[in-house]
Amino acid sequence: MTSNKLNIKLKPTEIEDLDILFEFQLDKEGGYLASFMPKGHTDKAAYINKYTKLLADPTVNNQTILLDNVIVGSIAKFVMQGDTEITYWIDRSFWGQGIATKALKELLKMETARPIVGRVAFDNFGSHKVLEKCGFVKIGTDKGFASARGTEIEEYTYELQ
């Protein structure tokens, strides 16, 4: 349930945030739903190295999500194969509170390029709802190897015009 009273803020991600954000993405249930995890996602040095480079990339907008000044997740805009895309991750202990929806609405105020794409595993119903509440429309499906599941799964593509 989304609450307008949530004290959500986005701030540019800093190197100091990466230790906490790394821990969030180690959650097995969260990884299962995210599905398309990078190789070696449990390697902290590789994670820190990758995100340190991304923080310096001007085409990527990495934001840390704060709830009452506590880090609860991350959200980002990036460009892949010419498409502007979004991604987000909320610490599982904060799921179901409307944080991802509010954070995405805030990011969409900053990032005005359209169309913008969101991709989600077929059974990640929470993320389907987040995208739909923010005006994204399902435009297609694809299949890909979900490393977190060790198998190929269906992925839905959503777009905001």
Side-chain angles (χ1 to χ4, degrees):
M1 182 163 141
T2 304
S3 168
N4 290 329
K5 296 180 183 191
L6 286 173
N7 188 16
I8 300 292
K9 292 180 185 158
L10 301 184
K11 73 170 191 81
T13 300
E14 300 172 351
I15 290 173
E16 297 78 31
D17 301 335
L18 297 179
D19 285 333
I20 294 170
L21 298 175
F22 172 76
E23 293 299 321
F24 293 164
Q25 60 94 44
L26 291 177
D27 178 71
K28 288 187 188 277
E29 185 176 344
Y32 182 86
L33 288 174
S35 301
F36 301 96
M37 303 289 288
K39 266 188 174 177
H41 75 280
T42 60
D43 179 342
K44 188 173 185 177
Y47 178 90
I48 299 294
N49 185 49
K50 173 185 175 181
Y51 281 91
T52 298
K53 289 178 185 172
L54 289 173
L55 293 177
D57 184 338
T59 68
V60 177
N61 181 358
N62 279 296
Q63 297 284 318
T64 296
I65 304 168
L66 302 170
L67 172 63
D68 297 324
N69 294 315
V70 174
I71 295 174
V72 297
S74 63
I75 190 164
K77 181 276 307 187
F78 61 97
V79 178
M80 188 164 73
Q81 299 175 341
D83 290 331
T84 301
E85 300 197 27
I86 53 96
T87 186
Y88 48 86
W89 191 292
I90 306 299
D91 177 30
R92 186 160 50 104
S93 63
F94 293 95
W95 288 2
Q97 298 180 37
I99 293 168
T101 301
K102 191 159 184 185
L104 181 53
K105 286 179 179 180
E106 290 301 312
L107 183 73
L108 292 170
K109 290 177 188 174
M110 285 184 237
E111 294 295 338
T112 57
R114 301 293 184 268
I116 193 164
V117 173
R119 301 179 192 280
V120 61
F122 74 98
D123 58 353
N124 187 342
F125 303 115
S127 279
H128 292 269
K129 287 180 185 176
V130 168
L131 293 171
E132 290 165 359
K133 285 179 182 178
C134 292
F136 285 74
V137 175
K138 186 173 142 187
I139 61 165
T141 62
D142 200 0
K143 286 196 176 214
F145 183 78
S147 57
R149 300 183 188 196
T151 190
E152 186 176 84
I153 67 165
E154 192 168 34
E155 176 184 48
Y156 295 161
T157 303
Y158 283 81
E159 186 177 78
L160 178 66
Q161 288 291 328

